[in-house]
Each structure stands twice: as structure tokens, then as C-alpha cells.
Amino acid sequence: MVLSGYFETGFPLPTALTEEFTKQYPNVTFDIREDQFAVITQNAPRVLQDSPPDLMRLPQMSELATDGLLLDLDPYAESFGWTDWPPSQLSQLRVDDEGRRGSGPLFAQGLNYSMTGVFYNKELAEQIGMDGAPKTLDEFDAVLQAAKDAGIVPIAQFNGGATGGLAFPLQGLMASYGDPEAINEWIFQQPDATIDTPENLAAAEHLQKWIDAGYFASDINSMDYAQMMSRFIGGESLFMFNGDWESGNLDKQMPGNAGFFLVPPLEEGGQIGAMSAPLTFGVAAAAENPDCAAFFLDWTATNDDARALTVEVGGSHPMGPADAFMPEIEPGSTTEATLAAGATMSEANGAMDFIANATGAIYAQSWTPNLQKMVAGEQTPAGLLESVQADYESQVGD
């Protein structure tokens, strides 16, 4: 049997899992096509309809579910026992008949739980006297200024092309200034939800302060994701805002030298949060091999070897039962730091989906151009939120 897959370029975990699955089940092989996430976002409806894959990396899924392009996985959830997992693991993957996420049938599964935060170069941090993660935003601001004063680029961040990477620090700041649950309500299209709030304005103004202070690399609006990674690994920036999916890679590329922390709160011990969402995969409604695809998704969460790959290659926590197997983690590794931060974030109940996932078009058509305009001095923090909210309302109302 050959399972067809449509995966995201640059993420080794899904392919590593398919290779291990074929080792354990030699009668199943995979035919995988890969594209950048922005391309998948644009192509998703057509691909699901015209050449439906058995497994597909999914962008925002509300419209895909309500249009009947995704398979309802609830029968598999019952038969495999996914309903016994912590409910929060699957809530983001449910869509009701009005396209609102958080409840309704299950239309996707996750390969892991990813989480964003701040990676830092320990050697560069030591040069400016940073001896641990900043405990407040004021402390973070001071470290950023110290790096700039020392001639070190404080932050390398992708923000070029069709994917605005400044959404990562912006959402982290939103969680420090306001309630992460309010962000989720907006992303899940709850009635009367808005991103244009005083708390989010304060967060956007803080991001603008970082832009104006020169804390980001000067060519941020032309920098893509691969360039950001290359510069950080090469020691050309102190920080980058990114996700734990890079933990395994950083443990190999810069062993012992990459730390990680969540965006700090306004006051020590205050509210924190992070984008923490499943690495979302679905099955096309017209897939040829849905049973085998669902078995693969269950295997990724319940097989010991698969769970070890998820931690070691993906650098993040597997899906599955709360008491399931976890591999030993190298002390002092980046992966140890990201898993610890994930536990802290869970205790704080600060998990948010990604603000780019509110609608199918909001990332490419609204967040990205408006964040690029902020860098170019052509948009204000207030204008950013007003514009995104207006686009959101027009898209949700379609």
C-alpha cells in the first residue's frame, strides 16, 4: 500500500515518522509531495478536491471542514481511544457546523504539540552578562539594548515573502499584556471576538518600540525563514523567536549553546502564554486509504519509537495519553529547555493557537503585509489591529 502525503518543506519530523513506520510496516510506503506553508495555505482546497491525499499538513481548517473536504475522524477517535487523551490536545482540531473551532467533530490530528518562544545563543548572552532567562519584559528590553550596544544583532527574525515572522513576537507580547484565552476566542471565531483591544494595542506598541530601537536585523523584511535559521546557528544574532520544532536541529547544529524561554510577563510571576498547537494533519474526505492514514496518526502518538522521534527530531511533546512513554532527554540540551518551558506554559494555562490560523486568508492577506508595513514605517500599531480586524470580519462573514 502507498499512502500519499502533502507535507510542509523544512520540517524533518513527518518524514522521519513515515520512514520509521515503513520500517515497522514494510507493506506501507509513502509518496510525499512538499511545499512551503504559504503555498499549502493557498493550494489546500484545490489539492483536497482534485488530488486528495491520505495525509496532509493542514493550514487553517474551518473552511476546509465546512466545505466537506476533510474526513470526520470521530469514528477513529472512538475506536483508537483518542477520546481518553487530555481533551485540550484535540479541542483545536474540532470544527462545528458554523466553522467555529474548539467543539464539534474532529477533522484533524496532531503529530506533536509545537510551541513558540525565544531561542538565545548562550555564548553571546554571556558576553553581555545575561546569565539566565529574563523574568520580566523590562529585563528583556534591557538585554536587547545591551546586545545592540555591544554590536550584536539582538534579533534575527524572518518577515519576508508571504509569511510574516513578526507574528511570533507579537503574539508572545499579546500573552504578556492580556488574556491568552481571549486570543483563542478570536482565532476560533467566537461571536463578537476582536483582536483590536487595548491589551493587544499595548503589545503591538511594544513590538513597534523594538522595531524603532533597531533590535531586529535591518533586512528583516527580506529575510526568509532559512536565512533566520542560518544566521542564528552561525552566531550572528543573540535571539530568534521560533518554535520547539527546531530544538532537535539546534541540539545538533549548536550543541549546548542554544537556550530557550517563553516571552516574559509584564511583572515577575505574571501571566504568560505561547502559541502551542498540534502539528496539524488531516485526511482528505476522498482519500484512498483513510483507515491506514488514521492508523498512522494513532501510531505516532502511541508507539514508543514514534514518540522518541517526536521528542528527538521534533523537539516537542508528543500527542497521546498523559502517562505515555517519554524518552530520556540530554541534560542541558535545547530540547530539555523547550520541554520544560512547555510544562510551565501548561501550568499557566497559557496555550494559544496561532493568530495566523484565525481564517484561511488572514496570514497571507492581512497579518503579513501589515507587519511588513510596520517595519517600513507605513503602518501604525493601531492601524495594524484595525486593518486585521476588518479583514477578519469580512472573511468570517463570507
Side-chain angles (χ1 to χ4, degrees), residues 47-386:
V47 170
L48 286 165
Q49 186 158 1
D50 296 345
S51 51
D54 296 309
L55 290 164
M56 180 172 168
R57 170 74 169 105
L58 294 179
Q60 207 283 341
M61 43 187 280
S62 295
E63 294 94 330
L64 303 176
T66 54
D67 289 345
L69 297 174
L70 295 175
L71 188 66
D72 179 351
L73 300 181
D74 268 344
Y76 297 109
E78 290 290 339
S79 62
F80 286 122
W82 301 346
T83 49
D84 296 328
W85 300 358
S88 60
Q89 288 191 18
L90 301 178
S91 63
Q92 298 183 29
L93 308 174
R94 297 187 177 278
V95 183
D96 68 17
D97 55 7
E98 295 184 15
R100 293 175 180 153
R101 293 169 56 220
S103 63
L106 184 71
F107 284 102
Q109 181 56 283
L111 296 193
N112 63 6
Y113 251 102
S114 62
M115 179 188 61
T116 60
V118 190
F119 289 97
Y120 67 98
N121 182 306
K122 292 181 181 178
E123 292 178 1
L124 294 179
E126 188 177 350
Q127 290 180 24
I128 61 167
M130 175 183 158
D131 56 3
K135 294 181 175 62
T136 65
L137 274 180
D138 282 346
E139 287 185 18
F140 194 13
D141 289 348
V143 172
L144 290 166
Q145 186 61 49
K148 185 167 187 266
D149 291 344
I152 299 168
V153 175
I155 310 166
Q157 194 68 23
F158 75 102
N159 204 51
T163 49
L166 279 184
F168 285 13
L170 176 59
Q171 186 164 356
L173 289 165
M174 286 177 172
S176 299
Y177 275 96
D179 180 6
E181 184 53 38
I183 303 297
N184 275 334
E185 289 176 2
W186 182 79
I187 297 167
F188 293 166
Q189 300 182 10
Q190 296 303 309
D192 302 320
T194 181
I195 200 71
D196 189 6
T197 66
E199 294 83 3
N200 292 338
L201 177 59
E205 288 173 342
H206 203 120
L207 179 65
Q208 183 71 64
K209 184 171 71 172
W210 286 352
I211 294 169
D212 293 343
Y215 293 158
F216 294 101
S218 59
D219 59 347
I220 181 173
N221 269 359
S222 62
M223 191 187 305
D224 64 19
Y225 185 90
Q227 288 173 308
M228 173 187 72
M229 288 300 301
S230 176
R231 291 191 195 182
F232 181 75
I233 291 169
E236 297 178 45
S237 74
L238 175 56
F239 298 114
M240 72 169 174
F241 290 80
N242 206 346
D244 55 6
W245 54 81
E246 291 292 358
S247 299
N249 180 34
L250 293 174
D251 278 329
K252 290 176 184 167
Q253 300 279 353
M254 43 193 304
N257 192 31
F260 181 87
F261 58 88
L262 300 173
V263 177
L266 279 175
E267 299 177 0
E268 189 169 346
Q271 171 65 55
I272 56 169
M275 188 271 275
S276 177
L279 182 61
T280 307
F281 276 71
V283 180
E288 288 187 15
N289 304 293
D291 290 351
C292 187
F295 180 82
F296 170 80
L297 292 171
D298 180 72
W299 171 88
T300 63
T302 57
N303 178 268
D304 287 0
D305 292 330
R307 291 177 64 86
L309 279 175
T310 298
V311 173
E312 293 159 8
V313 176
S316 52
H317 204 289
M319 303 285 282
D323 59 352
F325 165 83
M326 284 289 285
E328 291 188 15
I329 307 300
E330 180 73 24
S333 64
T334 310
T335 299
E336 182 186 52
T338 54
L339 289 175
T344 299
M345 187 269 302
S346 295
E347 290 169 9
N349 196 31
M352 302 173 286
D353 198 352
F354 188 24
I355 53 175
N357 289 340
T359 75
I362 202 78
Y363 197 15
Q365 294 182 13
S366 200
W367 281 122
T368 293
N370 278 290
L371 286 167
Q372 290 170 343
K373 288 176 183 176
M374 268 183 64
V375 172
E378 300 168 1
Q379 180 59 289
T380 64
L384 164 81
L385 297 176
E386 291 168 7

